[in-house]
Structures are given as C-alpha cells and as structure tokens.
Amino acid sequence: MNAVLEVQGLHKQFKQGERTIAALQGVDLTLAPGELVAVMGASGSGKSTLLHCVAALTQPTAGQIRFQGGKDVASLTDAEATRFRRDEIGLVFQAFNLLPTLTVDENVQLPLLAAGRAPAAGQVDALLQRLGLGERRGHRPDALSGGEQQRVAIGRALITEPALILADEPTGSLDSVTGASIMKLLSELCREQQKTVLVVTHEAAVAQWADRVVVFKDGRNLAELREESAEALSVAYQRAVAGEGATP
Ligand code: ADP
Ligand code: MG
C-alpha cells in the first residue's frame, strides 16, 4: 500500500542577514496509512519547519515530500498548494485560530464553505457529536474552554475528510489533563476513521499517545522509540538526544 507521506532528505535553510540557519538537515520520515506518529524534539529542533514544509506553507531547500505517492509537495504551484492544504490535509495548531465572530458550527464548516462545498446531510451533526460539542454548536469561541476550542479546531481539520492530519503542539495551550483528553481524542479518531496523524511536540506526555515516536535533534531524525509510558519515553528520549541510544 502507498505511504500517506514520504519525506526524503529534507533540508531547509533560513537566511538571516549574513547568517544561515539550518533548520532541517536531512529528514527522512514515512507514514503508513492509519499511523499516529509523533516527532519529539527540543525547541528549535525544526519540528514546526518540518510541518510547514509538509503543509506546503514553506518551500524546502532540498529533498522530497511525497503525499499518497503523488507529485512532490514542494513542486506544487501556489494554486495547487492552496488546494492541497484545503482538501488533502487537516491542520491543528497550538493557537486554535478560530474565527471569533463565528459559532462552533460555522467554524467547523468553514473549510467546506471556502471550497464552495456543502456538508453531506448529517455530517456536521455527527462530527460535533463525536467531538462532544453537540450542545455547544451555537456558541462563539470565547464562550468555550480551551479544550473545547481545540476540539472545534480538530473538527475544522476533519470536516473535509483529509487523509492526513498535521498537529503542531496541539496541547501547548492546555493544562495536562485537558491536553491528555485532546491526544486521546486524536488517537481514537485516527483509529476510527483511518486517519494518518503527524503530531510534533517537545512533551513526552503528548508523544506517548503515538504508535511510534521519531526523535528530532538539530533538524535531523536521530532515533525511533516505542515506549509504553510517558516516563519510559522521557528516559529513552533523554538517552537518545544525549547520544547514548546507539549502544549495541
Ligand atoms: P521547533 O518547532 O522545533 O521549535 P522551528 O522549526 O520553529 O523549531 O525552528 C527551527 C530553527 O529554525 C530555529 O533555529 C528557528 O529559529 C529557525 N527558524 C524557524 N523559522 C524561521 C524563519 N522564518 N526565519 C528564520 N529562522 C527560522
Ligand atoms: Mg515549533
């Protein structure tokens, strides 16, 4: 079966005056259908840059990003990139980015409206019920808790039924209990709806929900971990970034 996402030899450099910042220095990453993969790394390790390249928001300096075996995401025209973001992927960020004047219902439907499409009968109802937002559909974002706002953002990411969800520190604005409920929801949706999910985070408590964890350091993937608990993952991660992970 085709990989949903295949990243090969990805490099990204930012020029800042005289200085060149190597944000990505040869990233390889393959996501099979239905996988929930976490990229875990310290602040500045290139996690957001990777996500932005995959979402065609940033042009990589070198390397390839193939989505569902199609053409390189980096070679899309602006119009194709816009369509790709709108129809093929769902994006979830730390800041929920909801429109404050729209209701829950309207925020969730926005990507469809932007595409000139109408939801299928019952689609919005079913999704809002599944997200635990059935009673909240007429509210505006400022009447919702942080966890509820992030569930609206997840609904907005899912409404177009994309194959791939990209999430950048999705629990970064939430307390740990609410954050865990958001990760639980993402992992359940991944399983129920056969979504492929890529989450980037610096937190073991978030990454532990993934099927596997790709450790990032200095813009490179360093190791791959599959630990049962956040504690075990945290220990294994520390070992990997300290360079102790490769002992035979
Ligand atoms: P992370 O998400 O892991 O914290 P980022 O991908 O945001 O890391 O950043 C990786 C590196 O690239 C950092 O050194 C950051 O300062 C730099 N960087 C990110 N975006 C830009 C940009 N637009 N211009 C210049 N440097 C950037
Ligand atoms: Mg980041």
Side-chain angles (χ1 to χ4, degrees):
M1 192 185 268
N2 266 340
V4 172
L5 182 70
E6 242 182 314
V7 174
Q8 282 177 337
L10 202 67
H11 289 254
K12 175 65 184 181
Q13 296 177 350
F14 292 105
K15 293 252 185 294
Q16 271 196 340
E18 301 287 278
R19 237 158 62 89
T20 300
I21 299 162
L24 299 178
Q25 309 193 69
V27 174
D28 297 310
L29 186 67
T30 301
L31 266 64
E35 269 196 308
L36 198 177
V37 174
V39 166
M40 183 177 172
S43 172
S45 61
K47 306 181 298 293
S48 293
T49 303
L50 169 67
L51 228 62
H52 294 167
C53 288
V54 171
L57 290 163
T58 302
Q59 191 82 6
T61 311
Q64 286 184 348
I65 305 165
R66 224 167 275 290
F67 176 74
Q68 293 191 320
K71 71 173 165 173
D72 192 345
V73 167
S75 72
L76 300 178
T77 64
D78 285 352
E80 287 170 337
T82 301
R83 199 202 55 79
F84 170 71
R85 275 193 300 278
R86 197 187 65 197
D87 299 342
E88 310 282 5
I89 61 173
L91 288 165
V92 178
F93 296 104
Q94 174 174 350
F96 318 123
N97 300 329
L98 302 176
L99 290 187
T101 57
L102 300 185
T103 62
V104 165
D105 203 317
E106 292 164 342
N107 267 287
V108 165
Q109 291 191 53
L110 203 59
L112 284 182
L113 300 178
R117 290 161 54 191
Q123 185 192 2
V124 176
D125 273 352
L127 181 56
L128 290 176
Q129 287 300 337
R130 177 61 190 89
L131 296 170
L133 293 167
E135 311 286 301
R136 291 272 189 258
R137 56 186 307 157
H139 289 71
R140 292 204 163 60
D142 66 1
L144 304 179
S145 68
E148 286 171 334
Q149 290 185 54
Q150 192 60 309
R151 280 186 271 151
V152 176
I154 290 169
R156 184 183 52 193
L158 287 171
I159 193 73
T160 58
E161 305 192 323
L164 177 64
I165 304 284
L166 303 172
D168 192 345
E169 307 275 7
T171 69
S173 306
L174 305 172
D175 64 78
S176 59
V177 173
T178 309
S181 73
I182 290 295
M183 287 310 299
K184 181 166 183 283
L185 178 65
L186 275 177
S187 70
E188 289 170 355
L189 290 167
C190 180
R191 224 174 322 117
E192 290 164 20
Q193 305 189 5
Q194 309 297 311
K195 298 295 179 202
T196 306
V197 182
L198 177 60
V199 176
V200 307
T201 182
H202 65 282
E203 288 184 88
V206 172
Q208 67 157 330
W209 289 89
D211 300 321
R212 56 188 171 94
V213 177
V214 173
V215 177
F216 245 46
K217 187 181 178 185
D218 301 332
R220 288 187 191 90
N221 39 336
L222 192 68
E224 189 167 301
L225 305 173
R226 296 166 195 260
E227 303 294 338
E228 293 300 325
S229 69
E231 292 73 23
L233 176 59
S234 197
V235 170
Y237 170 79
Q238 292 302 337
R239 279 171 161 265
V241 293
E244 296 162 16
T247 38

